[in-house]
Amino acid sequence: MNNITVIGAGTMGNGIAHVFAQSGFKVALADVNAPQLEKALQTITKNFDRQVSKGSVTEEQKQQALSNIQTYSDVNEAVKNAELVVEAATENIDLKLKIFRQLDETAPKGCILASNTSSISITRIAAVTKRPELVIGMHFMNPVPVMKLVEIINGYSTSTAVSDQVIALSRKLGKVPCVVNDYPGFIANKILMPMINEAIYSLYEGIADVEAIDTIMKLGMAHPMGPLQLADFIGLDVCLSILNVLYEGFGNQKYAPCPLLVNMVTAGKLGVKSGEGFYTYTAGSKELVVSERFKNR
Ligand code: CAA
């Protein structure tokens, strides 16, 4: 397998294109929004520069990897020679179903269709195609060039051969694949999101402040980020949407999103991407500053 198409040039799509290109695959990076493609190439170059300055990639390897990426604003054109498509579009079910219907029509026969979805059912996505045995979840973690895990999700109809191929491919990227079955939140988010929700509940109930909650989990459990900082990093809207998938999917009260999370999303406080969540973010600054809203509480 050599030709990979990545659909969606946002943060995850960029990262996925980056790691495939770095491992020598030919990558067609597609996005219907042409300026987004330009921005994506700049981000990918910047992330390679970071690796060059750290000495983990040479300038020559960077140039080679960048030459492996071609951009397309026409999805049909981008999938013409694809052996694997990895869809990393916005996490919206209607959009994903539309993309998979289109991919099923236009991608070559036998091409594997993977989704980087963090919470949408692979079985549901596969059901809109005529090749459900070739549909699989390939859930990368952010930041993709750094995080070792690929959560591989077998839909109800995914064939063992396809699953084995995607496992082998993930290893070629230097990643560690873990295979799970298709149930709400898969494994990563079925376990991560209740922890984040519990951290938000602890703040909401006044048991501890933002700094204490995050420091306890960082220093006490050796997590690189505390759960509130991580929620900001992931996006509070994304956390809320995944919790709702768990809540509705299992019908269990234990997944009910904390009312504080719901309020924050309603107020447009989405974390890093909106400039404020549990912390405030200033472009260019790495300092972690607790949001005014949560100071002295
Ligand atoms: N591309 C390439 N390299 C990158 C990078 C990127 N986008 N971002 C960071 N790096 C590299 C840096 O160059 C640095 O490399 P070295 O170790 O060789 O020096 C390393 O990563 C650490 O980066 P920084 O020094 O800038 O910052 P840090 O030490 O604070 O680490 C972090 C940043 C890697 C993001 C770390 O805080 C971390 O691991 N956080 C947790 C991330 C996490 O949990 N991700 C999963 C989120 S859940 C998800 O994605 C799935 C979902 O469905 C919600």
Side-chain angles (χ1 to χ4, degrees):
M1 192 176 288
N2 193 37
N3 295 326
I4 313 294
T5 297
V6 178
I7 310 280
T11 307
M12 295 306 287
N14 290 343
I16 295 166
H18 178 131
V19 294
F20 273 108
Q22 191 179 344
S23 298
F25 292 89
K26 295 287 174 211
V27 179
L29 177 60
D31 199 301
V32 287
N33 178 354
Q36 183 65 32
L37 287 167
E38 197 44 51
K39 238 174 89 185
L41 281 182
Q42 285 169 11
T43 305
I44 294 171
T45 306
K46 203 178 79 200
N47 285 333
F48 270 118
D49 284 340
R50 196 203 288 244
Q51 289 173 298
V52 171
S53 71
K54 300 272 173 158
S56 57
V57 166
T58 64
E59 180 62 32
E60 199 188 348
Q61 286 168 326
K62 170 190 139 186
Q63 293 303 343
Q64 178 62 50
L66 288 173
S67 74
N68 285 338
I69 304 176
Q70 287 235 355
T71 56
Y72 294 83
S73 52
D74 179 342
V75 170
N76 293 344
E77 197 58 36
V79 298
K80 248 183 178 166
N81 299 312
E83 292 159 278
L84 166 76
V85 178
V86 183
E87 171 276 320
T90 309
E91 194 73 353
N92 171 305
I93 182 137
D94 294 331
L95 176 67
K96 291 209 193 265
L97 296 183
K98 184 170 164 237
I99 291 173
F100 273 80
R101 273 189 206 102
Q102 183 184 352
L103 290 175
D104 192 35
E105 292 291 322
T106 54
K109 204 168 156 251
C111 172
I112 297 173
L113 305 180
S115 176
N116 178 57
T117 180
S118 52
S119 63
I120 294 170
S121 161
I122 298 302
T123 307
R124 178 134 186 232
I125 291 174
V128 301
T129 73
K130 293 186 197 73
R131 56 177 104 186
E133 70 287 357
L134 295 179
V135 177
I136 192 162
M138 226 180 156
H139 183 203
F140 290 84
M141 304 289 134
N142 185 25
V144 181
V146 180
M147 305 295 285
K148 282 284 186 194
L149 178 73
V150 184
E151 188 179 33
I152 311 253
I153 304 111
N154 285 334
Y156 192 85
S157 308
T158 309
S159 78
T160 308
V162 165
S163 189
D164 288 347
Q165 252 182 299
V166 171
I167 291 168
L169 190 66
S170 305
R171 292 204 176 110
K172 278 196 186 158
L173 300 177
K175 302 290 184 198
V176 177
C178 288
V179 181
V180 309
N181 290 317
D182 181 28
Y183 289 99
F186 317 134
I187 283 294
N189 283 317
K190 182 173 185 285
I191 295 174
L192 174 64
M193 288 303 157
M195 180 190 73
I196 285 177
N197 202 33
E198 198 59 37
I200 302 173
Y201 260 113
S202 304
L203 178 68
Y204 172 70
E205 290 159 348
I207 299 173
D209 64 14
V210 169
E211 248 175 332
I213 292 168
D214 273 358
T215 305
I216 286 166
M217 296 306 286
K218 253 168 47 183
L219 301 186
M221 283 69 190
H223 291 185
M225 287 175 169
L228 300 174
Q229 186 191 358
L230 182 57
D232 275 359
F233 177 70
I234 292 168
L236 300 190
D237 53 338
V238 175
C239 293
L240 177 59
S241 141
I242 298 173
L243 278 163
N244 278 325
V245 167
L246 290 166
Y247 186 38
E248 285 157 23
F250 291 110
N252 190 327
Q253 194 62 29
K254 75 176 174 181
Y255 300 110
C258 176
L260 172 59
L261 173 64
V262 176
N263 266 358
M264 290 175 78
V265 173
T266 308
K269 308 297 180 195
L270 307 181
V272 177
K273 66 179 148 190
S274 75
E276 187 183 346
F278 297 102
Y279 298 87
T280 51
Y281 301 90
T282 319
S285 166
K286 277 192 118 182
E287 201 193 344
L288 202 54
V289 180
V290 173
S291 159
E292 280 302 323
R293 184 73 175 70
F294 299 111
K295 278 188 181 155
N296 309 317
R297 286 183 178 229

